[in-house]
Amino acid sequence: MSNKQFIFSSIALAVLLPFLAGAAPVIQHACGRAGQSLDGTWRAIVDPYENGYYNYRMQPMRTGDTFFADRHFYADPTKLVEYDFDAAGTLEVPGDWNTQREKLYYYEGTVWYRRLFDAQPKPGCRYFIHFDGANYETIAALNGEIIGKHTGGFTAFDFEVTKQLRAGQNSLIVKVDNKRHENGVPTINTDWWNYGGITRSVRLVEVPETFIRDYVVRLSADRKSVEGWIQLDGNAPEQQVSVEIPELNWRVSARTGADGRASFIVPLPRKSGIRLWCPEDPKCYEVVLAAGQDRVSDRIGFKTVSTSGSKILLNGQEIFLRGISIHDERPGAAAGRAFSAEHARTTLGWAKELGCNFVRLAHYPHNEEMVRMADEMGMLVWSEIPVYWTIAWDDPDTYANAENQLCEMIARDHNRASIIIWSVANETPRSPERLAFLGRLIDKTRALDPTRLVSAAMEKDETSPGQLTLVDELMYKTDLLSFNQYVGWYDGDADKCDRVVWTFPVEKPVILSELGGGAKYGRHGNVNERFTEEYLVRLYEKNISMMQRIPGLAGCTPWILKDFRSPRRALEGIQDDFNRKGLVSEKGEKKDAFYTLQNWYLSF
Ligand code: GCB
């Protein structure tokens, strides 16, 4: 492939603008870069009154009077220092604090983490501390100096530490605060556990002075070319860069401009033999990107997704989305936040066994292992930001926060073949302010990524008894008519499913983004008794036959794969702090309704 074939397209300006508009995006594929993992045992001080922070809030330059300074009482007890990380208890990272210490089960507030690590910084390299996620507000300091602040509990971010990193021992202090806020994203009220802490992996990343910060490598909409861009970061932005897919014998090289960016669209050879990514054949190719000293190797699948009338097309072929919703919680009695490839394999393994080709990762971006595992296992993905229920629609800070989380979600995962839908919200009560807010988020999503579908989980309306439809005007902006409905649980009994008629004012693919009800595993009784396995089986049977009568149905993601912790679920003996709408219990025991849905899915 010659340089001439490399097209610097001005269309790419559209993709470039978002990059210029905001902060630098997260380092693409940070876990595949040189450096060291900082996962493991960290010291932790619980600080509900923000004692260790007080002086910093008063005088931000004086970190010496705060816990960021990592001073010691025990080193010299004649000097008053009322904390000492060396003497503090420990928490494992990654991991939420709620399931690690009984006293922190309901805790919402600040915990200070400290990790000592050795480093040997090399001249000509830059260093970043990369967090895959920490809930909800993070402020970090390296060797007593603040390196950055981040808001949002479910997206990756990194702070540069080239100046602060020392040869020998380093002290990384991270203040994590999971207090809920009325104008936060999410807001105060949700139906999931507000797990706090450094819930996901942390890594010291080493890159050359000028490095490949971000890239997109994907199939063009006509499936005839591979297209994308590379974004360099550093003081030598104009460089020779290349992208290679060795297995396809496909290679391209070019020079980045003064903005550090190069875009390309290069046809695949006629007989490339490319295997398009799909659930039945989730082929990922090794893609190697190089720029000067920097080299990144990623595994990327190639596919397209689009709609035609009420159909969803994957690689141009109609596909029905046999889905299930999932929270980012790990399998096992203790529950808690998921973070590992093993958690992802088990959870997605259950979804596979259920007969799924699609998962809705609700209600916020899940950890990166999950989407990478979905790529490898062949599971289509709906990915969402936590714009949930009653957000402060007219607060500009709330909008900025939501948009930032949207950008961070897309930036981390825009090379994942599995992702077909970006969702901007879940069950948000209608109002003009909310319509404007979500409309802006949808426009932003399309500008950042024109290659995937954009939607939101809306709510159905009953315009007259038994007449079910959508009236939410957001449906004119989304690619899908996706909505949650609980006929047979919150809305009447299971028999109501037989009586209702569905119609829609516009022809688009219909996705039931939630349906279901609760049952405690092993609790048996009458079909009319809530929380019994019998009730849930019947509810699923009735919902399935109702769905078969829904015009334009293109898929569904019943709520939910696994019972998950929620402080809203107080019914003792049955709920015990768990939302019981799972088809498997938190321990992985399959409820009878699992097989009801499985029978339907396996009949396709
Ligand atoms: C919903 C929400 C979901 C809840 C679920 C429930 O509509 O979107 O977050 O957990 O209902 O169980 O009530």
Side-chain angles (χ1 to χ4, degrees), residues 191-192 327 360 363 388-389 426-427 484 486 490 514 559 564 569 579 581:
D191 186 21
W192 69 81
H327 261 294
R360 175 181 178 209
H363 284 299
Y388 182 93
W389 291 353
N426 177 75
E427 273 187 9
N484 302 346
Y486 280 90
Y490 295 124
E514 285 180 31
W559 192 255
F564 61 97
R569 307 297 170 172
N579 182 314
K581 296 191 187 70

mmCIF file with all atom_site columns, all heavy atoms in Angstrom, residues 191-192 327 360 363 388-389 426-427 484 486 490 514 559 564 569 579 581, ligand 1:
data_model
loop_
_atom_site.group_PDB
_atom_site.id
_atom_site.type_symbol
_atom_site.label_atom_id
_atom_site.label_alt_id
_atom_site.label_comp_id
_atom_site.label_asym_id
_atom_site.label_entity_id
_atom_site.label_seq_id
_atom_site.pdbx_PDB_ins_code
_atom_site.Cartn_x
_atom_site.Cartn_y
_atom_site.Cartn_z
_atom_site.occupancy
_atom_site.B_iso_or_equiv
_atom_site.pdbx_formal_charge
_atom_site.auth_seq_id
_atom_site.auth_comp_id
_atom_site.auth_asym_id
_atom_site.auth_atom_id
_atom_site.pdbx_PDB_model_num
ATOM   1   N N   . ASP A 1 191 ? -31.248 2.523   41.311 1.00 0.00 ? 191 ASP A N   1
ATOM   2   C CA  . ASP A 1 191 ? -31.576 1.184   41.805 1.00 0.00 ? 191 ASP A CA  1
ATOM   3   C C   . ASP A 1 191 ? -30.354 0.277   41.671 1.00 0.00 ? 191 ASP A C   1
ATOM   4   O O   . ASP A 1 191 ? -30.422 -0.789  41.077 1.00 0.00 ? 191 ASP A O   1
ATOM   5   C CB  . ASP A 1 191 ? -32.778 0.628   41.030 1.00 0.00 ? 191 ASP A CB  1
ATOM   6   C CG  . ASP A 1 191 ? -33.257 -0.718  41.601 1.00 0.00 ? 191 ASP A CG  1
ATOM   7   O OD1 . ASP A 1 191 ? -32.957 -1.004  42.773 1.00 0.00 ? 191 ASP A OD1 1
ATOM   8   O OD2 . ASP A 1 191 ? -33.921 -1.465  40.866 1.00 0.00 ? 191 ASP A OD2 1
ATOM   9   N N   . TRP A 1 192 ? -29.219 0.753   42.142 1.00 0.00 ? 192 TRP A N   1
ATOM   10  C CA  . TRP A 1 192 ? -28.060 -0.132  42.238 1.00 0.00 ? 192 TRP A CA  1
ATOM   11  C C   . TRP A 1 192 ? -27.205 0.341   43.385 1.00 0.00 ? 192 TRP A C   1
ATOM   12  O O   . TRP A 1 192 ? -27.372 1.447   43.895 1.00 0.00 ? 192 TRP A O   1
ATOM   13  C CB  . TRP A 1 192 ? -27.270 -0.192  40.923 1.00 0.00 ? 192 TRP A CB  1
ATOM   14  C CG  . TRP A 1 192 ? -26.530 1.049   40.501 1.00 0.00 ? 192 TRP A CG  1
ATOM   15  C CD1 . TRP A 1 192 ? -25.307 1.482   40.939 1.00 0.00 ? 192 TRP A CD1 1
ATOM   16  C CD2 . TRP A 1 192 ? -26.956 2.019   39.520 1.00 0.00 ? 192 TRP A CD2 1
ATOM   17  N NE1 . TRP A 1 192 ? -24.945 2.647   40.300 1.00 0.00 ? 192 TRP A NE1 1
ATOM   18  C CE2 . TRP A 1 192 ? -25.931 2.995   39.418 1.00 0.00 ? 192 TRP A CE2 1
ATOM   19  C CE3 . TRP A 1 192 ? -28.091 2.147   38.706 1.00 0.00 ? 192 TRP A CE3 1
ATOM   20  C CZ2 . TRP A 1 192 ? -26.017 4.088   38.563 1.00 0.00 ? 192 TRP A CZ2 1
ATOM   21  C CZ3 . TRP A 1 192 ? -28.174 3.245   37.842 1.00 0.00 ? 192 TRP A CZ3 1
ATOM   22  C CH2 . TRP A 1 192 ? -27.143 4.199   37.768 1.00 0.00 ? 192 TRP A CH2 1
ATOM   23  N N   . HIS A 1 327 ? -25.742 -5.816  35.103 1.00 0.00 ? 327 HIS A N   1
ATOM   24  C CA  . HIS A 1 327 ? -25.022 -4.800  35.885 1.00 0.00 ? 327 HIS A CA  1
ATOM   25  C C   . HIS A 1 327 ? -23.563 -5.233  36.006 1.00 0.00 ? 327 HIS A C   1
ATOM   26  O O   . HIS A 1 327 ? -23.260 -6.426  35.940 1.00 0.00 ? 327 HIS A O   1
ATOM   27  C CB  . HIS A 1 327 ? -25.609 -4.691  37.301 1.00 0.00 ? 327 HIS A CB  1
ATOM   28  C CG  . HIS A 1 327 ? -26.569 -3.549  37.478 1.00 0.00 ? 327 HIS A CG  1
ATOM   29  N ND1 . HIS A 1 327 ? -26.171 -2.236  37.388 1.00 0.00 ? 327 HIS A ND1 1
ATOM   30  C CD2 . HIS A 1 327 ? -27.898 -3.525  37.742 1.00 0.00 ? 327 HIS A CD2 1
ATOM   31  C CE1 . HIS A 1 327 ? -27.233 -1.449  37.597 1.00 0.00 ? 327 HIS A CE1 1
ATOM   32  N NE2 . HIS A 1 327 ? -28.291 -2.207  37.808 1.00 0.00 ? 327 HIS A NE2 1
ATOM   33  N N   . ARG A 1 360 ? -27.151 -5.889  27.187 1.00 0.00 ? 360 ARG A N   1
ATOM   34  C CA  . ARG A 1 360 ? -27.251 -4.463  27.519 1.00 0.00 ? 360 ARG A CA  1
ATOM   35  C C   . ARG A 1 360 ? -26.440 -4.251  28.781 1.00 0.00 ? 360 ARG A C   1
ATOM   36  O O   . ARG A 1 360 ? -26.809 -4.750  29.868 1.00 0.00 ? 360 ARG A O   1
ATOM   37  C CB  . ARG A 1 360 ? -28.705 -4.063  27.753 1.00 0.00 ? 360 ARG A CB  1
ATOM   38  C CG  . ARG A 1 360 ? -28.832 -2.630  28.215 1.00 0.00 ? 360 ARG A CG  1
ATOM   39  C CD  . ARG A 1 360 ? -30.275 -2.215  28.479 1.00 0.00 ? 360 ARG A CD  1
ATOM   40  N NE  . ARG A 1 360 ? -30.319 -0.849  28.963 1.00 0.00 ? 360 ARG A NE  1
ATOM   41  C CZ  . ARG A 1 360 ? -31.255 -0.366  29.780 1.00 0.00 ? 360 ARG A CZ  1
ATOM   42  N NH1 . ARG A 1 360 ? -32.244 -1.133  30.193 1.00 0.00 ? 360 ARG A NH1 1
ATOM   43  N NH2 . ARG A 1 360 ? -31.218 0.881   30.185 1.00 0.00 ? 360 ARG A NH2 1
ATOM   44  N N   . HIS A 1 363 ? -26.059 0.375   33.909 1.00 0.00 ? 363 HIS A N   1
ATOM   45  C CA  . HIS A 1 363 ? -26.645 1.600   33.389 1.00 0.00 ? 363 HIS A CA  1
ATOM   46  C C   . HIS A 1 363 ? -25.546 2.631   33.209 1.00 0.00 ? 363 HIS A C   1
ATOM   47  O O   . HIS A 1 363 ? -25.769 3.828   33.345 1.00 0.00 ? 363 HIS A O   1
ATOM   48  C CB  . HIS A 1 363 ? -27.656 2.166   34.384 1.00 0.00 ? 363 HIS A CB  1
ATOM   49  C CG  . HIS A 1 363 ? -28.971 1.451   34.429 1.00 0.00 ? 363 HIS A CG  1
ATOM   50  N ND1 . HIS A 1 363 ? -29.820 1.350   33.349 1.00 0.00 ? 363 HIS A ND1 1
ATOM   51  C CD2 . HIS A 1 363 ? -29.597 0.804   35.425 1.00 0.00 ? 363 HIS A CD2 1
ATOM   52  C CE1 . HIS A 1 363 ? -30.900 0.676   33.700 1.00 0.00 ? 363 HIS A CE1 1
ATOM   53  N NE2 . HIS A 1 363 ? -30.802 0.325   34.941 1.00 0.00 ? 363 HIS A NE2 1
ATOM   54  N N   . TYR A 1 388 ? -29.767 8.716   34.392 1.00 0.00 ? 388 TYR A N   1
ATOM   55  C CA  . TYR A 1 388 ? -30.745 7.751   34.899 1.00 0.00 ? 388 TYR A CA  1
ATOM   56  C C   . TYR A 1 388 ? -31.789 8.486   35.733 1.00 0.00 ? 388 TYR A C   1
ATOM   57  O O   . TYR A 1 388 ? -31.436 9.284   36.606 1.00 0.00 ? 388 TYR A O   1
ATOM   58  C CB  . TYR A 1 388 ? -29.959 6.747   35.746 1.00 0.00 ? 388 TYR A CB  1
ATOM   59  C CG  . TYR A 1 388 ? -30.718 5.597   36.369 1.00 0.00 ? 388 TYR A CG  1
ATOM   60  C CD1 . TYR A 1 388 ? -30.810 4.376   35.715 1.00 0.00 ? 388 TYR A CD1 1
ATOM   61  C CD2 . TYR A 1 388 ? -31.312 5.726   37.624 1.00 0.00 ? 388 TYR A CD2 1
ATOM   62  C CE1 . TYR A 1 388 ? -31.474 3.303   36.297 1.00 0.00 ? 388 TYR A CE1 1
ATOM   63  C CE2 . TYR A 1 388 ? -31.977 4.663   38.209 1.00 0.00 ? 388 TYR A CE2 1
ATOM   64  C CZ  . TYR A 1 388 ? -32.056 3.450   37.548 1.00 0.00 ? 388 TYR A CZ  1
ATOM   65  O OH  . TYR A 1 388 ? -32.709 2.388   38.123 1.00 0.00 ? 388 TYR A OH  1
ATOM   66  N N   . TRP A 1 389 ? -33.073 8.203   35.426 1.00 0.00 ? 389 TRP A N   1
ATOM   67  C CA  . TRP A 1 389 ? -34.186 8.793   36.155 1.00 0.00 ? 389 TRP A CA  1
ATOM   68  C C   . TRP A 1 389 ? -34.127 10.334  36.176 1.00 0.00 ? 389 TRP A C   1
ATOM   69  O O   . TRP A 1 389 ? -34.089 10.969  35.157 1.00 0.00 ? 389 TRP A O   1
ATOM   70  C CB  . TRP A 1 389 ? -34.297 8.190   37.567 1.00 0.00 ? 389 TRP A CB  1
ATOM   71  C CG  . TRP A 1 389 ? -34.740 6.740   37.565 1.00 0.00 ? 389 TRP A CG  1
ATOM   72  C CD1 . TRP A 1 389 ? -35.163 6.007   36.490 1.00 0.00 ? 389 TRP A CD1 1
ATOM   73  C CD2 . TRP A 1 389 ? -34.810 5.845   38.688 1.00 0.00 ? 389 TRP A CD2 1
ATOM   74  N NE1 . TRP A 1 389 ? -35.483 4.725   36.885 1.00 0.00 ? 389 TRP A NE1 1
ATOM   75  C CE2 . TRP A 1 389 ? -35.283 4.595   38.217 1.00 0.00 ? 389 TRP A CE2 1
ATOM   76  C CE3 . TRP A 1 389 ? -34.526 5.977   40.060 1.00 0.00 ? 389 TRP A CE3 1
ATOM   77  C CZ2 . TRP A 1 389 ? -35.462 3.487   39.054 1.00 0.00 ? 389 TRP A CZ2 1
ATOM   78  C CZ3 . TRP A 1 389 ? -34.702 4.882   40.891 1.00 0.00 ? 389 TRP A CZ3 1
ATOM   79  C CH2 . TRP A 1 389 ? -35.170 3.651   40.397 1.00 0.00 ? 389 TRP A CH2 1
ATOM   80  N N   . ASN A 1 426 ? -31.506 6.334   30.608 1.00 0.00 ? 426 ASN A N   1
ATOM   81  C CA  . ASN A 1 426 ? -32.457 5.292   30.995 1.00 0.00 ? 426 ASN A CA  1
ATOM   82  C C   . ASN A 1 426 ? -33.631 5.886   31.754 1.00 0.00 ? 426 ASN A C   1
ATOM   83  O O   . ASN A 1 426 ? -33.435 6.587   32.755 1.00 0.00 ? 426 ASN A O   1
ATOM   84  C CB  . ASN A 1 426 ? -31.783 4.260   31.903 1.00 0.00 ? 426 ASN A CB  1
ATOM   85  C CG  . ASN A 1 426 ? -32.774 3.208   32.391 1.00 0.00 ? 426 ASN A CG  1
ATOM   86  O OD1 . ASN A 1 426 ? -33.164 2.322   31.638 1.00 0.00 ? 426 ASN A OD1 1
ATOM   87  N ND2 . ASN A 1 426 ? -33.198 3.317   33.649 1.00 0.00 ? 426 ASN A ND2 1
ATOM   88  N N   . GLU A 1 427 ? -34.834 5.603   31.282 1.00 0.00 ? 427 GLU A N   1
ATOM   89  C CA  . GLU A 1 427 ? -36.093 5.944   31.975 1.00 0.00 ? 427 GLU A CA  1
ATOM   90  C C   . GLU A 1 427 ? -36.074 7.336   32.567 1.00 0.00 ? 427 GLU A C   1
ATOM   91  O O   . GLU A 1 427 ? -36.075 7.511   33.788 1.00 0.00 ? 427 GLU A O   1
ATOM   92  C CB  . GLU A 1 427 ? -36.347 4.952   33.109 1.00 0.00 ? 427 GLU A CB  1
ATOM   93  C CG  . GLU A 1 427 ? -37.067 3.727   32.666 1.00 0.00 ? 427 GLU A CG  1
ATOM   94  C CD  . GLU A 1 427 ? -37.466 2.842   33.829 1.00 0.00 ? 427 GLU A CD  1
ATOM   95  O OE1 . GLU A 1 427 ? -37.345 3.242   35.002 1.00 0.00 ? 427 GLU A OE1 1
ATOM   96  O OE2 . GLU A 1 427 ? -37.903 1.722   33.556 1.00 0.00 ? 427 GLU A OE2 1
ATOM   97  N N   . ASN A 1 484 ? -38.364 0.505   28.188 1.00 0.00 ? 484 ASN A N   1
ATOM   98  C CA  . ASN A 1 484 ? -38.563 -0.457  29.273 1.00 0.00 ? 484 ASN A CA  1
ATOM   99  C C   . ASN A 1 484 ? -40.058 -0.638  29.493 1.00 0.00 ? 484 ASN A C   1
ATOM   100 O O   . ASN A 1 484 ? -40.809 0.345   29.440 1.00 0.00 ? 484 ASN A O   1
ATOM   101 C CB  . ASN A 1 484 ? -37.933 0.053   30.567 1.00 0.00 ? 484 ASN A CB  1
ATOM   102 C CG  . ASN A 1 484 ? -36.444 0.337   30.424 1.00 0.00 ? 484 ASN A CG  1
ATOM   103 O OD1 . ASN A 1 484 ? -35.811 -0.072  29.447 1.00 0.00 ? 484 ASN A OD1 1
ATOM   104 N ND2 . ASN A 1 484 ? -35.879 1.043   31.401 1.00 0.00 ? 484 ASN A ND2 1
ATOM   105 N N   . TYR A 1 486 ? -42.879 -3.118  32.029 1.00 0.00 ? 486 TYR A N   1
ATOM   106 C CA  . TYR A 1 486 ? -43.004 -4.155  33.060 1.00 0.00 ? 486 TYR A CA  1
ATOM   107 C C   . TYR A 1 486 ? -44.442 -4.659  33.170 1.00 0.00 ? 486 TYR A C   1
ATOM   108 O O   . TYR A 1 486 ? -44.969 -4.803  34.272 1.00 0.00 ? 486 TYR A O   1
ATOM   109 C CB  . TYR A 1 486 ? -42.501 -3.614  34.398 1.00 0.00 ? 486 TYR A CB  1
ATOM   110 C CG  . TYR A 1 486 ? -40.982 -3.641  34.486 1.00 0.00 ? 486 TYR A CG  1
ATOM   111 C CD1 . TYR A 1 486 ? -40.225 -2.549  34.066 1.00 0.00 ? 486 TYR A CD1 1
ATOM   112 C CD2 . TYR A 1 486 ? -40.313 -4.767  34.954 1.00 0.00 ? 486 TYR A CD2 1
ATOM   113 C CE1 . TYR A 1 486 ? -38.842 -2.573  34.132 1.00 0.00 ? 486 TYR A CE1 1
ATOM   114 C CE2 . TYR A 1 486 ? -38.921 -4.805  35.015 1.00 0.00 ? 486 TYR A CE2 1
ATOM   115 C CZ  . TYR A 1 486 ? -38.198 -3.699  34.605 1.00 0.00 ? 486 TYR A CZ  1
ATOM   116 O OH  . TYR A 1 486 ? -36.826 -3.754  34.664 1.00 0.00 ? 486 TYR A OH  1
ATOM   117 N N   . TYR A 1 490 ? -44.843 -4.352  37.451 1.00 0.00 ? 490 TYR A N   1
ATOM   118 C CA  . TYR A 1 490 ? -45.271 -3.049  37.978 1.00 0.00 ? 490 TYR A CA  1
ATOM   119 C C   . TYR A 1 490 ? -46.607 -2.645  37.354 1.00 0.00 ? 490 TYR A C   1
ATOM   120 O O   . TYR A 1 490 ? -47.280 -1.753  37.836 1.00 0.00 ? 490 TYR A O   1
ATOM   121 C CB  . TYR A 1 490 ? -44.232 -1.955  37.666 1.00 0.00 ? 490 TYR A CB  1
ATOM   122 C CG  . TYR A 1 490 ? -42.904 -2.148  38.355 1.00 0.00 ? 490 TYR A CG  1
ATOM   123 C CD1 . TYR A 1 490 ? -41.721 -2.218  37.620 1.00 0.00 ? 490 TYR A CD1 1
ATOM   124 C CD2 . TYR A 1 490 ? -42.823 -2.258  39.745 1.00 0.00 ? 490 TYR A CD2 1
ATOM   125 C CE1 . TYR A 1 490 ? -40.498 -2.390  38.245 1.00 0.00 ? 490 TYR A CE1 1
ATOM   126 C CE2 . TYR A 1 490 ? -41.597 -2.437  40.368 1.00 0.00 ? 490 TYR A CE2 1
ATOM   127 C CZ  . TYR A 1 490 ? -40.443 -2.503  39.616 1.00 0.00 ? 490 TYR A CZ  1
ATOM   128 O OH  . TYR A 1 490 ? -39.232 -2.679  40.240 1.00 0.00 ? 490 TYR A OH  1
ATOM   129 N N   . GLU A 1 514 ? -36.081 -3.371  28.702 1.00 0.00 ? 514 GLU A N   1
ATOM   130 C CA  . GLU A 1 514 ? -36.299 -4.048  29.992 1.00 0.00 ? 514 GLU A CA  1
ATOM   131 C C   . GLU A 1 514 ? -37.690 -4.674  30.003 1.00 0.00 ? 514 GLU A C   1
ATOM   132 O O   . GLU A 1 514 ? -38.644 -4.112  29.464 1.00 0.00 ? 514 GLU A O   1
ATOM   133 C CB  . GLU A 1 514 ? -36.198 -3.074  31.174 1.00 0.00 ? 514 GLU A CB  1
ATOM   134 C CG  . GLU A 1 514 ? -34.775 -2.670  31.509 1.00 0.00 ? 514 GLU A CG  1
ATOM   135 C CD  . GLU A 1 514 ? -34.671 -1.694  32.683 1.00 0.00 ? 514 GLU A CD  1
ATOM   136 O OE1 . GLU A 1 514 ? -35.518 -1.744  33.593 1.00 0.00 ? 514 GLU A OE1 1
ATOM   137 O OE2 . GLU A 1 514 ? -33.732 -0.882  32.653 1.00 0.00 ? 514 GLU A OE2 1
ATOM   138 N N   . TRP A 1 559 ? -34.778 -7.763  32.000 1.00 0.00 ? 559 TRP A N   1
ATOM   139 C CA  . TRP A 1 559 ? -34.113 -7.299  33.219 1.00 0.00 ? 559 TRP A CA  1
ATOM   140 C C   . TRP A 1 559 ? -34.191 -8.404  34.239 1.00 0.00 ? 559 TRP A C   1
ATOM   141 O O   . TRP A 1 559 ? -35.257 -8.635  34.739 1.00 0.00 ? 559 TRP A O   1
ATOM   142 C CB  . TRP A 1 559 ? -34.829 -6.029  33.715 1.00 0.00 ? 559 TRP A CB  1
ATOM   143 C CG  . TRP A 1 559 ? -34.074 -5.311  34.789 1.00 0.00 ? 559 TRP A CG  1
ATOM   144 C CD1 . TRP A 1 559 ? -34.359 -5.281  36.132 1.00 0.00 ? 559 TRP A CD1 1
ATOM   145 C CD2 . TRP A 1 559 ? -32.907 -4.517  34.606 1.00 0.00 ? 559 TRP A CD2 1
ATOM   146 N NE1 . TRP A 1 559 ? -33.439 -4.518  36.790 1.00 0.00 ? 559 TRP A NE1 1
ATOM   147 C CE2 . TRP A 1 559 ? -32.530 -4.038  35.886 1.00 0.00 ? 559 TRP A CE2 1
ATOM   148 C CE3 . TRP A 1 559 ? -32.122 -4.174  33.489 1.00 0.00 ? 559 TRP A CE3 1
ATOM   149 C CZ2 . TRP A 1 559 ? -31.405 -3.231  36.069 1.00 0.00 ? 559 TRP A CZ2 1
ATOM   150 C CZ3 . TRP A 1 559 ? -31.018 -3.378  33.688 1.00 0.00 ? 559 TRP A CZ3 1
ATOM   151 C CH2 . TRP A 1 559 ? -30.674 -2.909  34.974 1.00 0.00 ? 559 TRP A CH2 1
ATOM   152 N N   . PHE A 1 564 ? -28.869 -8.482  41.747 1.00 0.00 ? 564 PHE A N   1
ATOM   153 C CA  . PHE A 1 564 ? -27.801 -7.516  42.053 1.00 0.00 ? 564 PHE A CA  1
ATOM   154 C C   . PHE A 1 564 ? -28.170 -6.705  43.282 1.00 0.00 ? 564 PHE A C   1
ATOM   155 O O   . PHE A 1 564 ? -29.345 -6.515  43.603 1.00 0.00 ? 564 PHE A O   1
ATOM   156 C CB  . PHE A 1 564 ? -27.544 -6.591  40.843 1.00 0.00 ? 564 PHE A CB  1
ATOM   157 C CG  . PHE A 1 564 ? -28.747 -5.762  40.446 1.00 0.00 ? 564 PHE A CG  1
ATOM   158 C CD1 . PHE A 1 564 ? -28.893 -4.451  40.884 1.00 0.00 ? 564 PHE A CD1 1
ATOM   159 C CD2 . PHE A 1 564 ? -29.749 -6.300  39.652 1.00 0.00 ? 564 PHE A CD2 1
ATOM   160 C CE1 . PHE A 1 564 ? -30.000 -3.680  40.525 1.00 0.00 ? 564 PHE A CE1 1
ATOM   161 C CE2 . PHE A 1 564 ? -30.869 -5.547  39.291 1.00 0.00 ? 564 PHE A CE2 1
ATOM   162 C CZ  . PHE A 1 564 ? -30.994 -4.245  39.727 1.00 0.00 ? 564 PHE A CZ  1
ATOM   163 N N   . ARG A 1 569 ? -34.065 -2.373  48.010 1.00 0.00 ? 569 ARG A N   1
ATOM   164 C CA  . ARG A 1 569 ? -34.771 -3.648  48.048 1.00 0.00 ? 569 ARG A CA  1
ATOM   165 C C   . ARG A 1 569 ? -34.697 -4.229  49.449 1.00 0.00 ? 569 ARG A C   1
ATOM   166 O O   . ARG A 1 569 ? -33.806 -4.995  49.788 1.00 0.00 ? 569 ARG A O   1
ATOM   167 C CB  . ARG A 1 569 ? -34.165 -4.587  47.008 1.00 0.00 ? 569 ARG A CB  1
ATOM   168 C CG  . ARG A 1 569 ? -34.117 -3.968  45.613 1.00 0.00 ? 569 ARG A CG  1
ATOM   169 C CD  . ARG A 1 569 ? -35.500 -3.669  45.070 1.00 0.00 ? 569 ARG A CD  1
ATOM   170 N NE  . ARG A 1 569 ? -35.429 -2.853  43.841 1.00 0.00 ? 569 ARG A NE  1
ATOM   171 C CZ  . ARG A 1 569 ? -36.496 -2.584  43.086 1.00 0.00 ? 569 ARG A CZ  1
ATOM   172 N NH1 . ARG A 1 569 ? -37.697 -3.030  43.418 1.00 0.00 ? 569 ARG A NH1 1
ATOM   173 N NH2 . ARG A 1 569 ? -36.361 -1.848  42.009 1.00 0.00 ? 569 ARG A NH2 1
ATOM   174 N N   . ASN A 1 579 ? -31.931 -6.760  44.347 1.00 0.00 ? 579 ASN A N   1
ATOM   175 C CA  . ASN A 1 579 ? -32.993 -6.732  43.361 1.00 0.00 ? 579 ASN A CA  1
ATOM   176 C C   . ASN A 1 579 ? -33.052 -8.158  42.803 1.00 0.00 ? 579 ASN A C   1
ATOM   177 O O   . ASN A 1 579 ? -32.061 -8.665  42.262 1.00 0.00 ? 579 ASN A O   1
ATOM   178 C CB  . ASN A 1 579 ? -32.675 -5.710  42.264 1.00 0.00 ? 579 ASN A CB  1
ATOM   179 C CG  . ASN A 1 579 ? -33.775 -5.598  41.213 1.00 0.00 ? 579 ASN A CG  1
ATOM   180 O OD1 . ASN A 1 579 ? -34.281 -6.610  40.737 1.00 0.00 ? 579 ASN A OD1 1
ATOM   181 N ND2 . ASN A 1 579 ? -34.110 -4.381  40.842 1.00 0.00 ? 579 ASN A ND2 1
ATOM   182 N N   . LYS A 1 581 ? -34.666 -9.574  40.320 1.00 0.00 ? 581 LYS A N   1
ATOM   183 C CA  . LYS A 1 581 ? -35.178 -9.823  38.965 1.00 0.00 ? 581 LYS A CA  1
ATOM   184 C C   . LYS A 1 581 ? -34.197 -10.634 38.112 1.00 0.00 ? 581 LYS A C   1
ATOM   185 O O   . LYS A 1 581 ? -34.428 -10.839 36.920 1.00 0.00 ? 581 LYS A O   1
ATOM   186 C CB  . LYS A 1 581 ? -35.530 -8.504  38.274 1.00 0.00 ? 581 LYS A CB  1
ATOM   187 C CG  . LYS A 1 581 ? -36.677 -7.785  38.985 1.00 0.00 ? 581 LYS A CG  1
ATOM   188 C CD  . LYS A 1 581 ? -37.233 -6.629  38.219 1.00 0.00 ? 581 LYS A CD  1
ATOM   189 C CE  . LYS A 1 581 ? -38.250 -5.865  39.050 1.00 0.00 ? 581 LYS A CE  1
ATOM   190 N NZ  . LYS A 1 581 ? -37.657 -5.104  40.172 1.00 0.00 ? 581 LYS A NZ  1
HETATM 191 C C1  . GCB B 2 .   ? -36.155 -0.081  35.816 1.00 0.00 ? 1   GCB B C1  1
HETATM 192 C C2  . GCB B 2 .   ? -34.797 0.476   35.867 1.00 0.00 ? 1   GCB B C2  1
HETATM 193 C C3  . GCB B 2 .   ? -33.825 -0.504  36.491 1.00 0.00 ? 1   GCB B C3  1
HETATM 194 C C4  . GCB B 2 .   ? -34.449 -1.101  37.741 1.00 0.00 ? 1   GCB B C4  1
HETATM 195 C C5  . GCB B 2 .   ? -35.662 -1.879  37.312 1.00 0.00 ? 1   GCB B C5  1
HETATM 196 C C6  . GCB B 2 .   ? -36.402 -2.501  38.503 1.00 0.00 ? 1   GCB B C6  1
HETATM 197 O O1  . GCB B 2 .   ? -36.980 0.318   35.065 1.00 0.00 ? 1   GCB B O1  1
HETATM 198 O O2  . GCB B 2 .   ? -34.336 0.883   34.610 1.00 0.00 ? 1   GCB B O2  1
HETATM 199 O O3  . GCB B 2 .   ? -32.630 0.158   36.792 1.00 0.00 ? 1   GCB B O3  1
HETATM 200 O O4  . GCB B 2 .   ? -33.555 -1.890  38.448 1.00 0.00 ? 1   GCB B O4  1
HETATM 201 O O5  . GCB B 2 .   ? -36.556 -1.035  36.667 1.00 0.00 ? 1   GCB B O5  1
HETATM 202 O O6  . GCB B 2 .   ? -36.049 -3.588  38.917 1.00 0.00 ? 1   GCB B O6  1
HETATM 203 O O7  . GCB B 2 .   ? -37.341 -1.885  39.001 1.00 0.00 ? 1   GCB B O7  1
#
